[in-house]
Amino acid sequence: MTASEHPDLRRNETFARNAAFLPAPLRRRILEADPEEIRSGIAVARSEDGHPVCSMAEGGRTFRINSLRPQDQAKRWCGQIPFGEVGALFVYGCGFGYPLLEIAERKDPDTLVLVFERSLPLFAAMLAHVDLEPVFRTGKFAFFVGRPDSFSPEFARLISQPELFFLTAPTLAFAPEARLFKREYVQIHARALELLALQTKKIGNDHYDSVLGFRQTIANLPEVLGNPYASCLKDKFKGVPAFIIANGPSLDKDIPELKRAVGKALILCSESAIAPLMKNGIVPDAICVSERSEKSYRRHFERDRYPEKLALLGLSVIDPRIFASFEGPKIPIFRRFDSDSRLVNGAIGDGSAFFGGRSSAHLAFEAAVYMGANPVVLVGQDLAYGPGGETHSRQSVYAEASQRETVERIKASPDVYLRGNDGRTVRSNAKWNHFKLIFAEMIKENPHVAVLNATEAGAVIKGAKYAPLGRAIDAYCARDLPVALHEVVRDAKRAVDVASRKRRLGTLQVELEKYAAIYDALDSFCARQQERCERRIGGRKPDPIPSPPPKANGGANPPTSRSKRCRCFWIRTCI
């Protein structure tokens, strides 16, 4: 073998060609890396046939990344992967590029490949010495480099896309050198699966919920047309403190103190916290509603009427009766990762959308950040049982006899024990723990916002600093709000051009009728296939294989009589 000098990354043509394919955050991290760390830790030499081979020095030891015949090694390794059965492949270790080139040659064109490499210097050296254009040109490789904390945001962005559904049952492959760093790669793998599970929880996997959300989004079109978009709130309360009020058991103790923040901070409450606040004379600036079930309407809106200075921030998927019965200013909000919301938003919205979280407290937090609030203070966000096993505030609807079954169902959930803000261990459950993890991710995504957790007996939320409620109010609530939230929303509503928005409904109707035709064709196709199966089971010769249904991106068959009868009633009503 002959030794090879390490090139200057910024002047190296191979690196420039490879790096051009990388997402900007990863390219930036590589260029910001210490060149000396690459030079001192990575040794690259040439084999007899001229291929670069790599070894790495770390912790006083030297590790060989690939053999002296790296291409043959990669072929043998790839021969163990059943590519015909793989929809998504998680590869741990880059193998200095050779396994990746072999995968690119053998894999199915639709197979997604996620490569996790623990060493940024090794990855950078690979980009400088190995031409990976055949890998990048497939458009199906994604790279996550370094410690999980470094690549988690990039990974979270990827799995928030539709491709997520191909990743839920990945095939795993550990590159030849990965066995040398088994413990670290197992930790990376565990973190990747944790993020994947968390993202699945964020989006949801209930088909009924998806259909219900779509129907209610369409039913809420009159509200979308007649009210401001969420964008009217962008940075309207920059630097103003915001208090996010949830319905944990500790809320009862905090309400007397919370009264001091009224008018001096944004107070955004989850829907289930509204009753305790109103009973104590606290009118929050907004109530946030994210749940699409009719239970939200039954519990908090069917019998109750609220002051006109209370604003409603509700996802577009919520029960239409909530918007219709609410007398104050309101904003229907599209969900960012929901395909139905994206479809409607693209046709009649302005593009503004929220993640929405899995609870109305998540929605409230996101709204506060979107409005520019800083700091954000969490109140009643226990995410754990109270000292006596309480699940919610004693003044909320969950204390009523009608909600006993719901409370008992919560208490029947398997216990999870978490670290508490007071240093003790607190009892929680899996659902609340997921809420906690989502909060931690949201906080991490907004490092510019100071987040204080004023829930003394609650679970620790990573990224939120514990601060007693009284101390937080003393520190940040010295001035009156510059403007009331309900005034901002009402002013924005006066500027809404309803006629212009209605004219855009035609685009939405065309899209929906196109998909109605596609799904009707799919229905007919499935019915014919089912009939063929039944004929075969019954010993009869099946009919010839029917033509496949049309694809969504072109050439849909004309609607059948059934789809013609389904003509988007709600859209025509809005027009």
Side-chain angles (χ1 to χ4, degrees), residues 501-556:
R501 293 187 184 185
K502 282 187 174 182
R503 285 194 292 271
R504 295 164 61 190
L505 277 170
T507 302
L508 179 59
Q509 184 166 356
V510 168
E511 285 294 302
L512 292 180
E513 292 193 347
K514 179 183 75 174
Y515 284 106
I518 291 169
Y519 293 137
D520 189 80
L522 281 168
D523 185 37
S524 299
F525 176 74
C526 291
R528 293 196 300 271
Q529 291 288 61
Q530 181 179 351
E531 184 179 352
R532 291 185 74 250
C533 291
E534 290 171 351
R535 283 175 177 270
R536 188 177 293 278
I537 291 171
R540 292 171 291 169
K541 185 178 179 180
D543 295 331
I545 297 175
S547 300
K551 294 185 178 181
N553 60 354

Side-chain angles (χ1 to χ4, degrees), residues 461-482:
I461 298 175
K462 187 176 180 180
K465 181 180 179 181
Y466 172 68
L469 179 58
R471 190 181 303 168
I473 294 173
D474 290 339
Y476 299 105
C477 297
R479 301 187 184 88
D480 292 338
L481 283 174

Side-chain angles (χ1 to χ4, degrees), residues 24-42:
L26 177 55
R27 185 167 60 248
R28 185 167 53 250
R29 282 203 292 127
I30 294 171
L31 291 173
E32 291 173 353
D34 183 2
E36 182 57 34
E37 188 178 358
I38 299 174
R39 282 192 291 269
S40 62
I42 307 297

Side-chain angles (χ1 to χ4, degrees), residues 275-335:
L277 295 180
M278 295 299 295
K279 287 177 181 178
N280 288 273
I282 297 177
V283 180
D285 295 283
I287 177 174
C288 299
V289 185
S290 61
E291 178 58 56
R292 67 195 69 193
S293 166
E294 69 169 354
K295 292 177 181 178
S296 293
Y297 171 71
R298 301 290 185 199
R299 288 169 179 162
H300 303 113
F301 297 94
E302 185 176 32
R303 302 184 306 268
D304 299 298
R305 292 294 176 266
Y306 299 107
E308 291 189 2
K309 65 179 181 178
L310 173 64
L312 167 64
L313 306 181
L315 294 180
S316 64
V317 297
I318 67 176
D319 191 310
R321 292 171 291 183
I322 295 176
F323 282 121
S325 65
F326 195 82
E327 298 174 357
K330 46 201 169 185
I331 297 181
I333 300 172
F334 292 111
R335 293 198 71 154

Side-chain angles (χ1 to χ4, degrees), residues 394-409:
R394 292 189 300 272
Q395 301 177 72
S396 71
V397 296
Y398 291 98
E400 299 174 4
S402 62
Q403 301 301 316
R404 185 175 296 122
E405 183 180 342
T406 299
V407 172
E408 290 304 317
R409 189 163 58 248

